Each structure stands twice: as structure tokens, then as C-alpha cells.
Amino acid sequence: MIAHRRWFLDTVTGLLARIREAHAGPAARHFVMLRDGAMASGCLSDPALVCDTFLRGVEGLLHAHVSPATGG
């Protein structure tokens, strides 16, 4: 399980680095945390609401990752 989580984090980090190398690591960890939270919440509440909330969080993360204010 730990190997899969490392692989997933490395994959997300690599994808975010293709958008903007700077700060890809923190952004990837943020994404993985959002995903983990969405997976847990999906078992506890309305999956449609969880999906909408997750997608809004990812959109915000991507916007912040490419924002001119952060050099993107």
C-alpha cells in the first residue's frame, strides 16, 4: 500500500511539474490529500456532493498552481 501511495504521489507530482515545475511537490501533496478526503467522504455522505466539492478543490488548486502571482 505504501508503494502505491508513493507511486501515485510521484505520478501527480510529475504531471503538475509539466504545468509548472516550481511548487509541484506541495501541490501534489495537496491534491493527494483532497483525493484521500474525497474517498473517505464518499463513504459517509452524498457522493454527488463529494464529487462537486472535490472538483472545486482541484480547480482551485490548479488555478493557484498556474497563477501569475506564483510565477506560473
Side-chain angles (χ1 to χ4, degrees), residues 1 4-6 8-9 12 28-44 50 54 58:
M1 177 124 167
H4 177 265
R5 291 186 64 77
R6 170 53 52 195
F8 185 68
L9 178 59
V12 172
R29 289 190 301 275
H30 192 165
F31 176 87
V32 170
M33 184 179 67
L34 286 171
R35 176 199 169 253
D36 288 349
M39 289 178 64
S41 293
C43 296
L44 303 171
V50 172
F54 174 71
V58 171

Side-chain angles (χ1 to χ4, degrees), residues 12-14 16-31 61 64-67 69-72:
V12 172
T13 302
L16 289 171
R18 292 171 71 182
I19 297 169
R20 179 168 172 257
E21 190 169 352
H23 307 291
R29 289 190 301 275
H30 192 165
F31 176 87
L61 173 64
H65 187 63
V66 300
S67 171
T70 58

